[in-house]
Amino acid sequence: MVVDDHRLLAEALASALKLRGHRVLAAAAPAAGAAELVITRAPEVCLLGTAVPAEPGIFDPVVRIKRERPQVAVLVLGPVPSPRGIAAAFAAGASGYVRHDERIEGVERAIMKARAGEAAVAPALLQGAFSELLNPAAQPDDEGQRLLQMLTPREVEVLVRVADGEDTRLIAAGMGIAPSTARTHVQRVLMKLGVGSRLEAAALAARTGLLDRAGPLPHTSRDTETGTGPQF
């Protein structure tokens, strides 16, 4: 079973696995409903996608799955994780961690290891995790900095404007972009931060000091007199 907030990713991975002879019970989104679906269908292996492996509580579905269906092996699909992210996944009961950009052969090897009861994690990921743990001064565990690095410069500006109370219309006008584009940026910010509302995003940014690190907003992207501005 493949579960990911990005439906296209889930369906593409499911299709690739089917072509290689695997029986895929379901390819679903969002990951928030993963536990219920896995408990109901009881697959041998569940590939569970996440965008923020170090976020507190992100692996609660894994905990529930292992509690109610201990025979199901859960493989986490995610970005390059921090040591805390890998540790959290295994602490929750995951059988392995696979990067989102892994080739299908690597995903398949991880599935086979998980089915055999082995830990499925690439040696390079473990090496990187140990390197970070052994050199904490070089890469401090700063939640605000970590969150800031997850966002593009444009998404950081969107987050600052959200924290300032701007709605979609004001964000679009201030950045010189279409309201639909502004709305998309806001949704991506919420997804990357792992929150469900603008209010939660603003609170998280304030609590972690992200807003202080982001600095002041740039000058408006539109020329208020001519109505023109830079092209994006």
Side-chain angles (χ1 to χ4, degrees), residues 109-197:
R109 285 194 296 271
I111 290 174
M112 302 308 291
K113 283 188 175 183
R115 290 180 65 186
E118 302 175 20
V121 59
L125 282 183
L126 286 179
Q127 183 178 6
F130 282 126
S131 177
E132 289 186 41
L133 289 172
L134 292 173
N135 300 281
Q139 298 185 11
D141 187 14
D142 185 316
E143 187 177 6
Q145 182 64 27
R146 179 181 62 82
L147 294 175
L148 191 62
Q149 291 175 346
M150 292 169 53
L151 305 175
T152 66
R154 176 143 295 193
E155 289 167 350
V156 171
E157 181 178 352
V158 168
L159 178 58
V160 173
R161 292 182 181 278
V162 166
D164 283 346
E166 294 187 10
D167 58 18
T168 301
R169 179 182 58 80
L170 288 176
I171 292 173
M175 297 179 66
I177 57 179
S180 59
T181 303
R183 191 174 299 108
T184 298
H185 282 316
V186 171
Q187 291 171 347
R188 288 186 61 82
V189 168
L190 297 184
M191 180 194 71
K192 287 185 176 182
L193 296 183
V195 296
S197 69

Side-chain angles (χ1 to χ4, degrees), residues 36-99:
E36 195 65 41
L37 186 62
V38 173
I39 291 168
T40 301
R41 301 297 297 274
E44 289 184 88
V45 179
C46 169
L47 298 169
L48 177 66
T50 178
V52 282
E55 185 73 17
I58 197 69
F59 295 122
D60 286 351
V62 180
V63 174
R64 184 183 170 198
I65 290 168
K66 297 304 294 184
R67 182 176 65 245
E68 301 191 29
R69 293 285 188 180
Q71 75 277 16
V72 175
V74 180
L75 285 175
V76 174
L77 294 173
V80 178
S82 66
R84 185 170 57 181
I86 290 181
F90 279 97
S95 298
Y97 191 105
V98 182
R99 283 177 48 170

